[in-house]
Structures are given as C-alpha cells and as structure tokens.
Short mmCIF file of all heavy atoms in Angstrom, two decimals:
data_model
loop_
_atom_site.label_atom_id
_atom_site.label_comp_id
_atom_site.label_asym_id
_atom_site.label_seq_id
_atom_site.Cartn_x
_atom_site.Cartn_y
_atom_site.Cartn_z
N CYS E 1 112.23 117.27 81.44
CA CYS E 1 113.56 117.23 82.04
C CYS E 1 114.54 116.65 81.03
O CYS E 1 114.14 115.97 80.08
CB CYS E 1 113.55 116.39 83.33
SG CYS E 1 113.31 114.62 83.06
N ASP E 2 115.80 116.92 81.24
CA ASP E 2 116.85 116.31 80.43
C ASP E 2 116.93 114.83 80.83
O ASP E 2 117.10 114.51 82.01
CB ASP E 2 118.18 117.01 80.72
CG ASP E 2 119.33 116.48 79.90
OD1 ASP E 2 119.20 115.36 79.33
OD2 ASP E 2 120.37 117.15 79.85
N PRO E 3 116.78 113.91 79.87
CA PRO E 3 116.86 112.48 80.23
C PRO E 3 118.11 112.11 81.00
O PRO E 3 118.08 111.18 81.81
CB PRO E 3 116.81 111.78 78.87
CG PRO E 3 116.09 112.74 77.97
CD PRO E 3 116.50 114.11 78.44
N ALA E 4 119.20 112.84 80.78
CA ALA E 4 120.45 112.53 81.48
C ALA E 4 120.33 112.71 82.99
O ALA E 4 121.05 112.07 83.77
CB ALA E 4 121.58 113.39 80.94
N THR E 5 119.42 113.59 83.43
CA THR E 5 119.26 113.83 84.87
C THR E 5 118.62 112.65 85.59
O THR E 5 118.65 112.58 86.82
CB THR E 5 118.44 115.09 85.12
OG1 THR E 5 117.10 114.90 84.61
CG2 THR E 5 119.06 116.30 84.46
N LEU E 6 118.02 111.73 84.85
CA LEU E 6 117.39 110.56 85.45
C LEU E 6 118.36 109.41 85.63
O LEU E 6 118.06 108.44 86.34
CB LEU E 6 116.22 110.09 84.57
CG LEU E 6 115.13 111.13 84.30
CD1 LEU E 6 114.14 110.60 83.27
CD2 LEU E 6 114.41 111.52 85.60
N VAL E 7 119.53 109.50 85.01
CA VAL E 7 120.51 108.42 85.03
C VAL E 7 121.44 108.60 86.22
O VAL E 7 121.97 109.69 86.46
CB VAL E 7 121.34 108.41 83.71
CG1 VAL E 7 122.40 107.31 83.76
CG2 VAL E 7 120.41 108.22 82.51
N THR E 8 121.64 107.53 86.97
CA THR E 8 122.56 107.56 88.10
C THR E 8 123.81 106.74 87.79
O THR E 8 123.78 105.81 86.98
CB THR E 8 121.90 107.00 89.38
OG1 THR E 8 121.59 105.62 89.17
CG2 THR E 8 120.65 107.78 89.72
N GLU E 9 124.90 107.07 88.48
CA GLU E 9 126.15 106.33 88.29
C GLU E 9 125.97 104.88 88.71
O GLU E 9 126.57 103.97 88.11
CB GLU E 9 127.27 107.00 89.08
CG GLU E 9 128.64 106.41 88.83
CD GLU E 9 129.03 106.46 87.35
OE1 GLU E 9 128.68 107.44 86.67
OE2 GLU E 9 129.69 105.50 86.89
N ARG E 10 125.19 104.65 89.73
CA ARG E 10 124.94 103.27 90.18
C ARG E 10 124.36 102.43 89.06
O ARG E 10 124.76 101.28 88.84
CB ARG E 10 123.99 103.28 91.38
CG ARG E 10 123.55 101.91 91.85
CD ARG E 10 122.71 102.01 93.12
NE ARG E 10 122.24 100.71 93.53
CZ ARG E 10 121.07 100.19 93.17
NH1 ARG E 10 120.25 100.89 92.38
NH2 ARG E 10 120.69 99.00 93.58
N GLN E 11 123.40 102.98 88.31
CA GLN E 11 122.79 102.22 87.22
C GLN E 11 123.74 102.08 86.03
O GLN E 11 123.69 101.07 85.32
CB GLN E 11 121.46 102.85 86.81
CG GLN E 11 120.39 102.82 87.90
CD GLN E 11 119.99 101.40 88.29
OE1 GLN E 11 120.45 100.41 87.72
NE2 GLN E 11 119.13 101.30 89.30
N ARG E 12 124.59 103.07 85.80
CA ARG E 12 125.61 102.91 84.75
C ARG E 12 126.53 101.72 85.07
O ARG E 12 126.85 100.93 84.20
CB ARG E 12 126.45 104.19 84.61
CG ARG E 12 125.74 105.35 83.95
CD ARG E 12 126.76 106.40 83.52
NE ARG E 12 126.13 107.58 82.99
CZ ARG E 12 125.86 108.69 83.68
NH1 ARG E 12 126.19 108.75 84.96
NH2 ARG E 12 125.28 109.72 83.12
N ARG E 13 126.93 101.62 86.33
CA ARG E 13 127.81 100.52 86.73
C ARG E 13 127.11 99.18 86.58
O ARG E 13 127.71 98.19 86.14
CB ARG E 13 128.28 100.71 88.18
CG ARG E 13 129.26 101.87 88.38
CD ARG E 13 129.94 101.77 89.73
NE ARG E 13 128.98 101.75 90.82
CZ ARG E 13 128.57 102.85 91.47
NH1 ARG E 13 129.00 104.05 91.12
NH2 ARG E 13 127.70 102.75 92.46
N ARG E 14 125.84 99.13 86.94
CA ARG E 14 125.10 97.87 86.86
C ARG E 14 124.97 97.41 85.41
O ARG E 14 125.09 96.23 85.11
CB ARG E 14 123.72 98.02 87.49
CG ARG E 14 123.76 98.32 88.98
CD ARG E 14 122.40 98.23 89.61
NE ARG E 14 121.95 96.86 89.64
CZ ARG E 14 120.69 96.48 89.48
NH1 ARG E 14 119.75 97.37 89.24
NH2 ARG E 14 120.35 95.21 89.53
N LEU E 15 124.71 98.35 84.52
CA LEU E 15 124.60 97.99 83.11
C LEU E 15 125.95 97.52 82.57
O LEU E 15 126.04 96.50 81.87
CB LEU E 15 124.09 99.17 82.29
CG LEU E 15 123.92 98.92 80.79
CD1 LEU E 15 122.86 97.86 80.54
CD2 LEU E 15 123.56 100.21 80.06
N ALA E 16 127.02 98.25 82.91
CA ALA E 16 128.36 97.90 82.42
C ALA E 16 128.81 96.54 82.94
O ALA E 16 129.53 95.81 82.25
CB ALA E 16 129.36 98.97 82.83
N ALA E 17 128.37 96.20 84.14
CA ALA E 17 128.77 94.93 84.74
C ALA E 17 127.84 93.79 84.35
O ALA E 17 127.98 92.66 84.85
CB ALA E 17 128.79 95.06 86.26
N HIS E 18 126.88 94.08 83.47
CA HIS E 18 125.89 93.06 83.07
C HIS E 18 125.23 92.49 84.31
O HIS E 18 125.17 91.27 84.50
CB HIS E 18 126.54 91.94 82.25
CG HIS E 18 127.26 92.44 81.05
ND1 HIS E 18 126.62 92.92 79.93
CD2 HIS E 18 128.59 92.56 80.79
CE1 HIS E 18 127.51 93.30 79.03
NE2 HIS E 18 128.71 93.10 79.53
N ALA E 19 124.72 93.39 85.14
CA ALA E 19 124.11 93.00 86.41
C ALA E 19 122.98 92.01 86.18
O ALA E 19 122.32 92.02 85.14
CB ALA E 19 123.56 94.23 87.13
N ALA E 20 122.78 91.15 87.17
CA ALA E 20 121.67 90.21 87.09
C ALA E 20 120.37 90.98 86.90
O ALA E 20 120.20 92.10 87.36
CB ALA E 20 121.60 89.39 88.38
N ASP E 21 119.45 90.36 86.19
CA ASP E 21 118.19 91.00 85.86
C ASP E 21 117.52 91.54 87.11
O ASP E 21 117.42 90.85 88.13
CB ASP E 21 117.26 89.99 85.18
CG ASP E 21 116.07 90.66 84.53
OD1 ASP E 21 116.10 91.89 84.38
OD2 ASP E 21 115.13 89.92 84.18
N SER E 22 117.05 92.77 87.04
CA SER E 22 116.39 93.41 88.16
C SER E 22 114.95 93.69 87.80
O SER E 22 114.64 94.10 86.68
CB SER E 22 117.09 94.73 88.51
OG SER E 22 116.35 95.46 89.45
N HIS E 23 114.05 93.45 88.74
CA HIS E 23 112.63 93.67 88.50
C HIS E 23 112.07 94.72 89.45
O HIS E 23 110.93 94.63 89.88
CB HIS E 23 111.86 92.36 88.66
CG HIS E 23 112.36 91.25 87.79
ND1 HIS E 23 112.37 91.32 86.43
CD2 HIS E 23 112.88 90.04 88.10
CE1 HIS E 23 112.86 90.20 85.92
NE2 HIS E 23 113.19 89.42 86.91
N GLY E 24 112.85 95.71 89.79
CA GLY E 24 112.39 96.72 90.73
C GLY E 24 111.27 97.57 90.16
O GLY E 24 111.25 97.90 88.98
N THR E 25 110.37 97.94 91.00
CA THR E 25 109.21 98.76 90.67
C THR E 25 108.78 99.43 91.96
O THR E 25 109.13 98.94 93.03
CB THR E 25 108.05 97.88 90.13
OG1 THR E 25 108.48 97.16 88.99
CG2 THR E 25 106.82 98.69 89.76
N VAL E 26 108.04 100.51 91.91
CA VAL E 26 107.47 101.08 93.12
C VAL E 26 105.97 101.20 92.95
O VAL E 26 105.46 101.26 91.82
CB VAL E 26 108.08 102.46 93.45
CG1 VAL E 26 109.59 102.35 93.57
CG2 VAL E 26 107.70 103.52 92.42
N GLY E 27 105.25 101.23 94.08
CA GLY E 27 103.81 101.33 93.96
C GLY E 27 103.16 101.68 95.27
O GLY E 27 103.79 101.62 96.34
N ALA E 28 101.88 102.02 95.20
CA ALA E 28 101.09 102.37 96.38
C ALA E 28 99.63 102.02 96.14
O ALA E 28 99.15 102.11 95.01
CB ALA E 28 101.23 103.85 96.71
N VAL E 29 98.95 101.64 97.22
CA VAL E 29 97.51 101.37 97.18
C VAL E 29 96.89 102.02 98.40
O VAL E 29 97.46 101.96 99.50
CB VAL E 29 97.21 99.86 97.18
CG1 VAL E 29 95.71 99.63 97.00
CG2 VAL E 29 98.00 99.14 96.10
N ALA E 30 95.72 102.65 98.23
CA ALA E 30 95.10 103.37 99.34
C ALA E 30 93.59 103.22 99.32
O ALA E 30 92.96 103.06 98.26
CB ALA E 30 95.46 104.85 99.28
N LEU E 31 93.00 103.31 100.51
CA LEU E 31 91.56 103.47 100.72
C LEU E 31 91.37 104.75 101.49
O LEU E 31 92.05 104.98 102.50
CB LEU E 31 90.99 102.30 101.51
CG LEU E 31 89.55 102.47 102.03
CD1 LEU E 31 88.55 102.40 100.88
CD2 LEU E 31 89.22 101.44 103.10
N ASP E 32 90.46 105.63 101.02
CA ASP E 32 90.22 106.88 101.75
C ASP E 32 88.92 106.82 102.54
O ASP E 32 88.16 105.85 102.48
CB ASP E 32 90.28 108.09 100.82
CG ASP E 32 89.20 108.08 99.74
OD1 ASP E 32 88.10 107.56 99.97
OD2 ASP E 32 89.47 108.63 98.64
N ARG E 33 88.65 107.89 103.31
CA ARG E 33 87.45 107.94 104.16
C ARG E 33 86.16 107.98 103.35
O ARG E 33 85.08 107.73 103.89
CB ARG E 33 87.52 109.16 105.08
CG ARG E 33 88.64 109.09 106.11
CD ARG E 33 88.61 110.28 107.05
NE ARG E 33 89.76 110.28 107.95
CZ ARG E 33 89.81 109.58 109.07
NH1 ARG E 33 88.79 108.84 109.44
NH2 ARG E 33 90.90 109.64 109.84
N HIS E 34 86.28 108.32 102.08
CA HIS E 34 85.11 108.38 101.21
C HIS E 34 84.79 107.01 100.60
O HIS E 34 83.81 106.87 99.87
CB HIS E 34 85.35 109.39 100.10
CG HIS E 34 85.93 110.68 100.59
ND1 HIS E 34 85.20 111.62 101.29
CD2 HIS E 34 87.20 111.17 100.52
CE1 HIS E 34 85.99 112.64 101.60
NE2 HIS E 34 87.20 112.39 101.15
N GLY E 35 85.63 106.01 100.88
CA GLY E 35 85.40 104.67 100.36
C GLY E 35 86.03 104.41 99.02
O GLY E 35 85.84 103.33 98.45
N MET E 36 86.80 105.35 98.48
CA MET E 36 87.47 105.13 97.20
C MET E 36 88.77 104.36 97.42
O MET E 36 89.54 104.67 98.32
CB MET E 36 87.80 106.44 96.49
CG MET E 36 88.56 106.25 95.18
SD MET E 36 89.27 107.77 94.51
CE MET E 36 87.77 108.56 93.89
N VAL E 37 89.02 103.39 96.55
CA VAL E 37 90.29 102.68 96.50
C VAL E 37 91.04 103.17 95.26
O VAL E 37 90.45 103.36 94.20
CB VAL E 37 90.08 101.16 96.41
CG1 VAL E 37 91.41 100.44 96.25
CG2 VAL E 37 89.34 100.64 97.64
N ALA E 38 92.34 103.37 95.40
CA ALA E 38 93.19 103.75 94.26
C ALA E 38 94.51 103.01 94.34
O ALA E 38 94.96 102.63 95.43
CB ALA E 38 93.43 105.26 94.24
N ALA E 39 95.12 102.80 93.18
CA ALA E 39 96.41 102.11 93.11
C ALA E 39 97.28 102.79 92.06
O ALA E 39 96.78 103.35 91.08
CB ALA E 39 96.22 100.63 92.76
#
C-alpha cells in the first residue's frame, strides 16, 4: 500500500501539537476447542 494511506489527519494534528506520549497498541489472545492458545 502507499504509506500515505496509513496516515490520518488526527495523527498529523497530534504530531504537530507535540501531543503527550501515546502508548497505544492493539492485541488479541485466544484459546480454541483444540486446546491451542495464540496471541
């Protein structure tokens, strides 16, 4: 993909405003019927 498509106006504003440090991340953890755990 074009890297520009990943950039949002909200994040441009936050960088320009020297926003407080952000530690956002996303994640998931699962157990299935077969007994496998994944993260």
Side-chain angles (χ1 to χ4, degrees):
C1 69
D2 182 343
T5 64
L6 302 172
V7 178
T8 64
E9 187 57 36
R10 175 175 177 267
Q11 296 297 357
R12 287 195 185 96
R13 290 195 302 268
R14 295 190 70 215
L15 180 64
H18 304 287
D21 193 14
S22 172
H23 304 299
T25 301
V26 304
V29 185
L31 169 72
D32 63 31
R33 294 184 186 276
H34 314 286
M36 177 193 286
V37 176

